[in-house]
Structures are given as C-alpha cells and as structure tokens.
Amino acid sequence: MGNIFAGKNIVVGVCGSIAAFKVAGWVSDLAKLEAQVSVVMTAAAGRFVTPLTFAALSGNEVHSDMFADRGQERMDHIGLGRDADALLIAPASANTIAALAAGLAGDLLQTTVLASRAPVVLCPAMNSRMYRHPATQANLDRLRHFGYTILDPDSGMMACREEGEGRLPEWEMVREYLARVLSPPQLVGRKVVVSAGPTREPLDPARFLSNRSSGKMGYALARAAFRRGAEVVLVSGPTALSAPAGVRRVPVQTAEEMAVAVLAAAADADVVIKAAAVADFRPAETSREKVKKERIAATLQLARNRDILRELGERKAAGQILVGFAAESADFLAEGQRKLAAKNLDLIAVNDIGGTGSGFEVDSNQVLLVSRTGQESLPQTSKEHTAEMIIDRVVALLAGASPGGVVPGSGCQV
Ligand code: PMT
C-alpha cells in the first residue's frame, strides 16, 4: 500500500470560522497527495475565505449552492456524498454540528453528509464556551454514535482573544485520522505494541552509552498499525520525533525501563514489534555525581542488559504475534534464522545496516523478512513503505496464514 490518498475522492466541508483559512493549506496538501478534493462551503464559510482560493488549491470547482444550475443530469447534493471515499468537515461550526446531529438537510454541506455513507472526520473549531456547552457536547456524542471520527480541538489563544479549547488541531494529526478511515480496518480491535529508538545507559548525569537509532523505523510501524485501526502503544527511547497521532507513547531512557514498559504493555497485546535498538550493555556502575575525567578508568566495566525480545518469546501467549528486528551487515539469512528460532519469533526483519540508504537514521530502508516458512527480500524503499509491508505480513500472520509473499527456500538476500 503506497500513498493511501492517491485517487481517493475526498469531500472537504468548510464552515464559517476564522479557522477556515487554515483548511486552505490542508486542501493544498491533499491535492499534492494526489487526492481528488471537492470542497463544499457553507454560506458563512464564504465570508471568511473565497471559493476561488479553494478552487485554485484543489484544482476543482467549489460547491456551495444546492440549486446551482448544472443541467438536469447533475445533482451535486447526492453525487458528491455518494462518490466520496471520505468526508472531512473542518472547521466544523456549532451550527453545522447541531444540524448534522439532527439529520437536517438545510444546505449543500448538510445534504451531502446525509446522502453519504463514507466515513466522516470532523474537526470542531469555535469559541471554547460554545464548544463546552452541553448542547454542543450532546450533539458531538450523537455524531460519535453515528460512527463519525471527532477530533478534539487544540487549546490556546482564540481569534476572540479568549484562551481555551476550540482551535483546529494540527494538519499532521488530521491527516493521520483521514488516512485511518481510508485504510482497510484490518487491525480494529487489536492491540499492537511497538518499541522504537535507542536506549541510553548512563555512566553519570552527563555521559551515557547509546547508539545511532533515530526511531524512524519504529515510529513508521506505529503509524502504519494505527492507520489499519489498531490500538497502538509505542514504547520509545529518546528521539527527536513527535508522537504519532492517535498512538499512546511511553517514553523511556534505559534498557531496563524499556523492558518494564514493553513487558507490561505486551501482556494483553495481539502483536509486539521490537524495532528498538536496545543497548546490549550498560556501565557496571552509574555515578550520581559527574565523574571527573581524571578519575575515569581507561577500561569501562560493563554489565549485560536483559534481552527483552527473548523474554517476550518465552512469555508469548497463544495467538500473539512477535516480530523482531536484527541490525546486521553480513550473513543476513543465517542471522535472521538463528534469532527467529532462539527468541521464538513469528517474523524477523533483518535490517541491512551496511549500506547508505538503509538502517540507522536515514529515511529509507532495506530488510530481509524471515519467517518460519521462508524468507523474502523487500525492496529498498521508504521506512513508511517498509512499515506498511511489514504490517501486511502481520495481518496475514494474525489470520493464521503464512506471511504473504514469503517464499520458502527462495534464497533471496538483501
Ligand atoms: O531507528 P532508526 O534510525 O530508524 O533505525 C532503525 C533500526 C536500524 C534501529 C531498526 O530497523 C533495527 O534494526 N532495530 C533492531 C536493532 C537491534 O538492536 O538489533 P539486534 O540484532 O541487536 O537485536 C535483535 C532484536 O532483539 C531487536 O528486535 C532488539 O529490539 C531486540 N533486543 C536486543 C537487545 C536487548 N537487550 N533486548 C532486545 O529486545
């Protein structure tokens, strides 16, 4: 699954709010992602942003009038909703939210939503007292009951010079929820635990042992699992990355902290994916005070850390899928097979860290997948795409099938 937005019909409903101008940027991004964007504006929206802005950014005609003369064969209020793959209503005003909750068909946007069976993502944006009013909250509850995805507004200074919740959320967050409603819901009802990033093993308050993991691979896996509908827990070592939308991130520092967090989260998980680069060793002693450089011995005494993946393999419940990673620069297949068996895994992604476009820190990756039934070399591609392909194999394993495309004994290597 490449770009989930490509070729999808997305109706963007824009209501009257000062936040409408932000959605112009969202429409532009969706068009760049190759979605077919149809913008429907309420009459009030046109007071804030002109239809020409949305027409130019979407590359399509903007709709606002239910009775516009388009010839007898076209009925926008039915066709737009019927042909949509998803509807995004942003900013959603209190007025439109109330109308949708009541099932009204008072303007083109309301009628389009009522006539559609596509998933709806709705972003309320309004004054915080209007948002908190029991009427608005009851209306939002009703829309949740209809199956709409309602995104909580952000807090901050509002256009009315009041501080509070009611601002539009960041586009990155909205985009992920939109991707989720467009993706096959193969992991709905499943809990997926992903570990990502490095661990830091302190020598003293200033110094630590660590590695080059950026967390990009693990975060891409967490995003991909969320998109397929999973409840995702991301146990993350220190990284510069923002928490992915909709994912519960548990920040940790050391291998021991990661072990505690992962083992606790994994107890009732359907899938555990260990992309983290856990430090195998820690300094045998950690000083509370910064050690003077003159007093640091030339040879550092090390103690071995717990092997979290091995412990997960020992505790694995029936039906749980356990996926490991292995950072290797040679003997990919042999190392993959050895770790798969030794740690009781269902799948291992052997990561080529010898090249320049794969492994630590970079945005692309190349992995050899090894399962109990065979192996498969994935192409060098983005970490996002690699993550999607690994999640495809996880979905197959959960269904009791051998991971699709893994060819027994094909002998292909990265
Ligand atoms: O974070 P990025 O910059 O995007 O880079 C991605 C990556 C290269 C870190 C990632 O794709 C990867 O290969 N992660 C595993 C790295 C690693 O620690 O490999 P390993 O062969 O040392 O460990 C094998 C497996 O055992 C891993 O799943 C690891 O999480 C696990 N392990 C290792 C040691 C330990 N004490 N406990 C563990 O659970």
Side-chain angles (χ1 to χ4, degrees):
M1 193 189 311
N3 169 16
I4 189 74
F5 294 98
K8 294 287 183 347
N9 288 322
I10 299 178
V11 171
V12 179
V14 185
C15 304
S17 156
I18 188 66
F21 79 94
K22 288 190 185 169
V23 177
W26 301 6
V27 166
S28 168
D29 211 47
L30 283 170
K32 283 184 200 143
L33 287 165
E34 299 169 43
Q36 277 301 323
V37 189
S38 303
V39 177
V40 180
M41 297 175 74
T42 65
R47 314 281 292 207
F48 292 89
V49 183
T50 69
L52 189 60
T53 303
F54 285 113
L57 293 171
S58 67
N60 289 318
E61 183 187 358
V62 170
H63 310 264
S64 51
D65 184 355
M66 205 144 59
F67 303 104
D69 182 14
R70 299 184 199 286
Q72 292 182 345
E73 73 288 357
R74 292 203 40 196
M75 295 176 74
D76 274 354
H77 64 292
I78 303 297
L80 282 167
R82 186 191 52 213
D83 299 341
D85 293 299
L87 291 94
L88 170 64
I89 305 173
S93 64
N95 186 50
T96 291
I97 288 168
L100 295 178
L104 297 184
D107 64 14
L108 182 60
L109 176 56
Q110 294 163 24
T111 313
T112 300
V113 178
L114 205 59
S116 181
R117 293 297 171 266
V120 179
V121 175
L122 185 140
C123 303
M126 65 195 75
N127 169 276
S128 47
R129 279 174 294 125
M130 289 169 75
Y131 175 68
R132 273 285 143 221
H133 193 285
T136 304
Q137 290 302 313
N139 289 332
L140 288 170
D141 281 345
R142 193 164 160 78
L143 295 181
R144 278 189 199 95
H145 178 70
F146 294 163
Y148 293 16
T149 299
I150 313 286
L151 299 196
D152 292 337
D154 279 355
S155 293
M157 182 59 81
M158 318 270 291
C160 56
R161 306 269 178 273
E162 283 185 20
E163 190 91 28
E165 53 188 339
R167 293 158 57 98
L168 274 185
E170 295 299 323
W171 168 233
E172 290 68 30
M173 157 92 80
V174 180
R175 189 192 57 210
E176 286 309 306
Y177 276 93
L178 209 46
R180 181 171 162 113
V181 301
L182 289 168
S183 299
Q186 295 152 322
L187 294 177
V188 169
R190 301 289 195 173
K191 178 177 174 185
V192 176
V193 177
V194 179
S195 77
T199 63
R200 283 183 182 173
E201 311 301 323
L203 189 60
D204 66 20
R207 306 176 180 94
F208 54 81
L209 299 179
S210 191
N211 59 61
R212 289 173 48 206
S213 172
S214 64
K216 287 177 184 172
M217 188 63 241
Y219 277 55
L221 284 158
R223 258 194 303 277
F226 173 75
R227 286 183 172 197
R228 305 285 177 101
E231 173 202 347
V232 182
V233 179
L234 173 63
V235 180
S236 173
T239 77
L241 305 175
S242 314
V247 163
R248 182 162 75 84
R249 179 166 67 169
V250 181
V252 297
Q253 292 279 328
T254 63
E256 182 55 29
E257 285 173 16
M258 185 170 277
V260 171
V262 168
L263 291 168
D268 61 348
D270 299 285
V271 180
V272 184
I273 308 177
K274 285 232 63 232
V278 186
D280 291 308
F281 296 94
R282 64 182 183 279
E285 281 179 25
T286 302
S287 168
R288 283 172 182 274
E289 309 290 332
K290 185 178 173 204
V291 182
K292 298 283 175 214
K293 59 176 175 284
E294 300 76 23
R295 291 189 43 226
I296 296 180
T299 309
L300 199 58
Q301 294 297 316
L302 297 176
R304 186 176 280 279
N305 281 328
R306 296 160 71 172
D307 189 326
I308 309 166
L309 193 54
R310 186 180 291 273
E311 288 187 43
L312 286 164
E314 284 162 4
R315 297 177 186 195
K316 191 159 69 126
Q320 188 179 66
I321 302 300
L322 186 53
V323 181
F325 268 73
E328 307 290 347
S329 52
D331 301 328
F332 304 106
L333 181 57
E335 280 304 308
Q337 287 172 333
R338 186 180 67 74
K339 288 181 180 171
L340 183 88
K343 302 190 182 191
N344 191 23
L345 310 179
D346 299 284
L347 189 68
I348 187 161
V350 187
N351 205 148
D352 180 1
I353 58 161
T356 48
S358 179
F360 292 109
E361 294 170 318
V362 292
D363 291 330
S364 53
N365 216 357
Q366 178 155 42
V367 301
L368 172 73
L369 294 182
V370 181
S371 75
R372 293 177 192 185
T373 52
Q375 71 269 2
E376 174 192 21
S377 182
L378 297 187
Q380 181 167 326
T381 181
S382 66
K383 283 183 175 166
E384 305 294 334
H385 192 202
T386 302
E388 292 287 353
M389 289 189 280
I390 291 172
I391 296 296
D392 283 341
R393 293 356 176 227
V394 165
V395 168
L397 284 163
L398 279 169
S402 76
V406 175
V407 186
S410 70
C412 49
Q413 286 200 16
V414 282

